[in-house]
Amino acid sequence: MTTEFKVCNCNRTMPLDAHAGAQIGTALGTGALPIHTELCRREVSSYLTSLDGVDDVVVACTQERSLFAEIAQQKGSVAPLRFVNIRETGGWGTQAKNAVPKMAALLAAAALPDPDPVPTVDYQSAGHALIIGPADRALAWAQRLGTQLDVSVLLTGGAAGEMLQDRAFPTFSGNQIAITGWLGEFNVKWQQANPIDLEACTRCNACIDVCPENAIDLTYQIDLNKCKSHRDCVKACGTIGAIDFVRSATQRSSDFDLIFDLSDAPLLSLHQPPQGYFAPGAIVERQMDDALKLTQMVGEFSKPKFFLYKEKLCAHGRNGKVGCTSCIDVCSAEAVSHHGDQIKVNPNLCVGCGACTTVCPSGALAYAYPRATDTGTRLKTMLSTYAKAGGTQPALLFHNQEQGAALINQLGRLSKAADKLKGVPAAVMPVELHHSASTGIDLWLTAIAYGATHIAILVTKQDAPEYVSALNQQIEIAQTILSGLGYAGVHVSLIQAQTPEQLDVGLSTIQAAQVPAQRALFNVAVDKRSTLELAIDHLKTHAPSKVDEIALPAGSLYGMVMVNKDTCTLCMSCVGACPESALTDNANMPQLRFIEKNCVQCGLCEKTCPENAITLAPRLLLTDAAKQPIVVNEAEPFHCISCQKPFGTAQMIETMVGKLSLHGAFAGNINRLKMCPDCRVVDMMANKQEAVATDLKRN
């Protein structure tokens, strides 16, 4: 199957001509591409012709995406449509004349097949919404949304002039509110703090009439600061029983599909709250936006299951000891939690940021949509096409598909309309990701091996502080490796921007760093550490400096373990705790061995060691010794005092005898600790028989 490319210079506002068409076509292997001027208007017939077949059609325009899609639908075309932005991403920048290689790269990436489908996470919402907040906000929105949603209200406070009117929706009051769950499955718990139960109240006003302190307003809640406890209201309420000052059952709970939280401070303070939860606070504009979103969240919804979890590779815990917690620490949606010796990822709470996969040292968590292999193919395609089109010193700009993409588009438009902004540089290729934190050191080093002279990661206010910290840590590790190999310059950086102007400044700081003279040809592997091994091997082969090892910062995913031989008893607890088989024993003699290539620096061995004899030493060993088992401690075996068979070590037996010699269970039998298990049983049986014989003689 082939791909037809439709390229337009947008009414001659981009420097694209026949020569550029030939340059792009050569890089794409299609032959010279015609460059249109008004593809969406006067030359639309050319677009219509391309829809006649079943081959993919890539249109280099996102401005008129809706129009092109509508035309294809009206024609009944079955040709798959893809759209790519070459205008704001470079065609309108001050370096637009040199951006043709980038345009070719973006077109090539757009022509790649879609990622393979993955399992989905499904949600069902019947529109049962709970509005939480003070009366003046909550009641007004309940009236507005009540015609479109099944509304309930939880009042957290009254307001002067507000009143409860007809019983159009369930109304509660309370505090100490706890919310769990997600779209379609929220559970809300609260304390019924006020004496008046609004669901039992008939709003007859009898309590208001008799209250001498005027402590009850028309939201039918008692101001306990005014109330003098005359209890006249209780008598007036009578058998209705809505007022109870000594209510014992104050805990309330109910289930909802949607939450509209109008509290001043969100009840859920997560940077990435669960889907179906909206917390606009007191800001009217945000209330209106979120209210519209609420009305659109009724029905059945699905999203990709963004992660893959390989339990066998997980270094979270062993035998009740917790080692690596990187994924739990970085998740701003609290979708990852401790679950015994493993972790548990709640797919309903997962927002697909991918930060957990970025920081996972073992590859137990992997990004599923798109997979690392898909992203790797995309990067390789872009960089190779860029080179074929004559481009030099390519750089990549990773950005999220929402605020990041919006900033790039705004920058492109402003650079065309005003001379103050430069726009996206010709050598910088934007790479849209679901989330900026979804790629890490494995793909960064791979991209550099493919020839990328710089990788910039755009982070916006949409990105949680945890993600920024994690990216900075990963950048430090990647840069340490590259600098250690002798590659000059800064290869990976963060650009933090909230405005097009800030992005423009950040892009202007990008400088090409040194990369291998020969571009790598390997493909990204399914396994994270396999990809890293391929990338590091290529970078090492072509490195300006030949080194055997590189010291890495704390928290790195490579390193060795240091064993204090004076305190290590070779009990092998660390071997049982190691999830990656980096620490092993020797079945033939007391020996602790270590394979550095396997170590992920999770720290389980360090935490498990009863003698505190192990410490971590982050580093990258670049010799073949990293793949070979080395002996980190060994000892002469201790020989059984009965049969002379070797077992244990002299130090271990000596330590055990010293600790247990005063224990009552071993009084008079301390020599059994110096016997092998078989001889220990024989000695116990012999003593038992001797005791039985002695008893018989006495009797």
Side-chain angles (χ1 to χ4, degrees), residues 545-594:
S545 301
K546 303 302 177 184
V547 294
D548 291 337
E549 68 176 79
I550 300 171
L552 297 178
S556 297
L557 68 173
Y558 289 109
M560 66 178 300
V561 296
M562 306 294 292
V563 178
N564 186 335
K565 297 180 180 180
D566 293 332
T567 56
C568 174
T569 62
L570 290 174
C571 68
M572 303 301 170
S573 297
C574 55
V575 173
C578 181
E580 311 298 333
S581 298
L583 285 165
T584 62
D585 59 3
N586 187 333
N588 300 316
M589 61 184 301
Q591 197 176 73
L592 179 61
R593 299 189 295 181
F594 177 65

Side-chain angles (χ1 to χ4, degrees), residues 23-42:
Q23 187 179 351
I24 294 173
T26 299
L28 296 175
T30 62
L33 291 180
I35 302 297
H36 299 278
T37 301
E38 299 176 29
L39 184 64
C40 61
R41 298 292 186 272
R42 181 171 54 86

